[in-house]
Amino acid sequence: MTIRPIQQQINAIAVSEGAGVTVHRTLGTPALKNLDPFLMLDHFGSDDPEQYIAGFPDHPHRGFVTLTYMLDGHLEHRDSMGNRGDLRAGGAQWMKAASGVIHSEMPKQSNGLMRGFQLWINLPAAEKMRDPAYQEFGSEAIPEVVGEGTCVRVLSGDYAGQHGVIDDPHTDLRYLDVSLQPGSEFRLPLASALRGFIYVFEGEALIGSLNGPPLLPQHSLSVLAEGDVVQLEAGAAGVRFILVAGRPIGEAVVQYGPFVMNTRDEIEQAMRDYRDGKLVRAKAVLKAID
Ligand code: MN
């Protein structure tokens, strides 16, 4: 059994998105353009409503999946599939944009807090132009495995006999939210066939490592190198992180803003379709916002 060391570590940079919302981006920056099958990771969070109140008004996506996980506050969303809802703290939303979705995402605070993640997961070529799909789960639906000094929320994939609620059939996705008290350890068998990373958002973690950095600081994304098992321990103040892994797709990635396809021609087609009002297909009508 080889403990998977850290291959690369990215510190978050602040990026302005939507109508001027500041997000902390790691994956999807010049330092790490993508990590097949993952395209982008944004950590959004603020105690200042002015920073995000304008939210993310109607915008398009094509060719991939967005997975949103709220930690605090909530997110009002509407989309061209007809879904409209309010994703609350602890809940998760999986949206397969595929051939095209137009949606709005409007973050709201609760008790002065608003925090969460959005992960972009690529789709294989054969799935990019299929119909969109959607899954949403409230906090109560997400299994939690509580141990001594540990709490693991299982969003997707298996952990300690629990099966996550989000099913991403294209990448064998694992997505865990792990909290460790000081002195606690986390261990998860994770085959090298799955590419993965750890993003620390509270405290820091330590990892046994021969070559890579042994410390995983707050707001860093650490790419896991090859091995058999993920094993790390909490820093002096404890740690909370997400562990995300999936099977690489192994195809060309051509990205232009909210469109992620395999070729430049397909990107140009997406831009034409959006311009001509043809991005959203079959039966999907954008509902008017109240
Ligand atoms: Mn979006």
Side-chain angles (χ1 to χ4, degrees):
M1 280 295 215
T2 312
I3 294 173
R4 294 182 66 157
I6 300 305
Q7 174 182 306
Q8 187 181 1
Q9 200 165 68
I10 312 293
N11 293 313
I13 59 171
V15 177
S16 182
E17 279 291 340
V21 181
T22 300
V23 300
H24 298 280
R25 183 168 298 167
T26 40
L27 189 50
T29 62
L32 186 62
K33 281 184 72 179
N34 54 58
L35 184 72
D36 188 10
F38 306 111
L39 300 164
M40 195 191 79
L41 180 72
D42 279 351
H43 178 210
F44 47 90
S46 177
D47 52 11
D48 175 7
E50 293 304 316
Q51 282 189 4
Y52 60 83
I53 207 76
F56 306 89
D58 281 349
H59 59 277
H61 294 292
R62 174 179 279 181
F64 60 100
V65 166
T66 65
L67 199 168
T68 307
Y69 176 39
M70 290 304 287
L71 299 166
D72 297 301
H74 53 117
L75 185 78
E76 291 178 3
H77 61 91
R78 287 144 205 255
D79 69 44
S80 51
M81 290 175 276
N83 300 305
R84 50 170 57 202
D86 190 6
L87 187 65
R88 298 196 164 266
Q93 178 208 60
W94 178 96
M95 188 185 80
K96 180 180 177 181
S99 60
V101 162
I102 295 176
H103 72 165
S104 67
E105 303 161 283
M106 306 302 275
K108 312 282 177 184
Q109 67 174 22
S110 299
N111 303 318
L113 291 170
M114 194 284 290
R115 282 196 307 170
F117 290 103
Q118 187 164 91
L119 175 71
W120 289 13
I121 310 168
N122 204 5
L123 283 169
E127 295 290 330
K128 283 183 182 291
M129 291 305 284
R130 289 188 187 271
D131 287 342
Y134 186 85
Q135 305 170 50
E136 184 181 323
F137 300 95
S139 185
E140 67 288 346
I142 294 174
E144 278 186 12
V145 179
V146 178
E148 198 157 325
T150 68
C151 177
V152 179
R153 307 193 79 228
V154 189
L155 279 77
S156 190
D158 292 322
Y159 176 79
Q162 294 290 320
H163 186 65
V165 285
I166 295 167
D167 179 26
D168 185 284
H170 314 298
T171 61
D172 195 13
L173 179 70
R174 313 291 162 91
Y175 194 128
L176 305 176
D177 169 6
V178 181
S179 300
L180 302 179
Q181 298 296 317
S184 298
E185 194 177 82
F186 171 83
R187 186 179 165 87
L188 175 75
L190 189 71
S192 283
L194 295 183
R195 193 164 291 155
F197 64 83
I198 288 168
Y199 182 89
V200 173
F201 58 99
E202 291 176 14
E204 58 190 31
L206 300 158
I207 196 162
S209 178
L210 293 175
N211 301 310
L215 180 71
L216 284 62
Q218 193 177 13
H219 297 145
S220 68
L221 181 145
S222 297
V223 178
L224 297 165
E226 292 195 351
D228 309 302
V229 61
V230 180
Q231 186 172 318
L232 50 79
E233 61 184 270
V239 69
R240 189 171 175 193
F241 60 88
I242 53 170
L243 185 154
V244 178
R247 195 183 319 103
I249 293 169
E251 295 175 358
V253 176
V254 182
Q255 176 167 1
Y256 184 81
F259 308 127
V260 184
M261 304 300 288
N262 300 104
T263 68
R264 269 199 72 86
D265 283 353
E266 290 166 343
I267 291 292
E268 283 166 16
Q269 183 66 50
M271 293 167 72
R272 277 197 301 275
D273 286 351
Y274 182 51
R275 186 193 62 205
D276 298 343
K278 294 178 182 168
L279 186 93
V280 173
R281 300 172 152 210
K283 289 188 291 183
V285 177
L286 181 61
K287 291 196 173 178
I289 290 174
D290 295 334

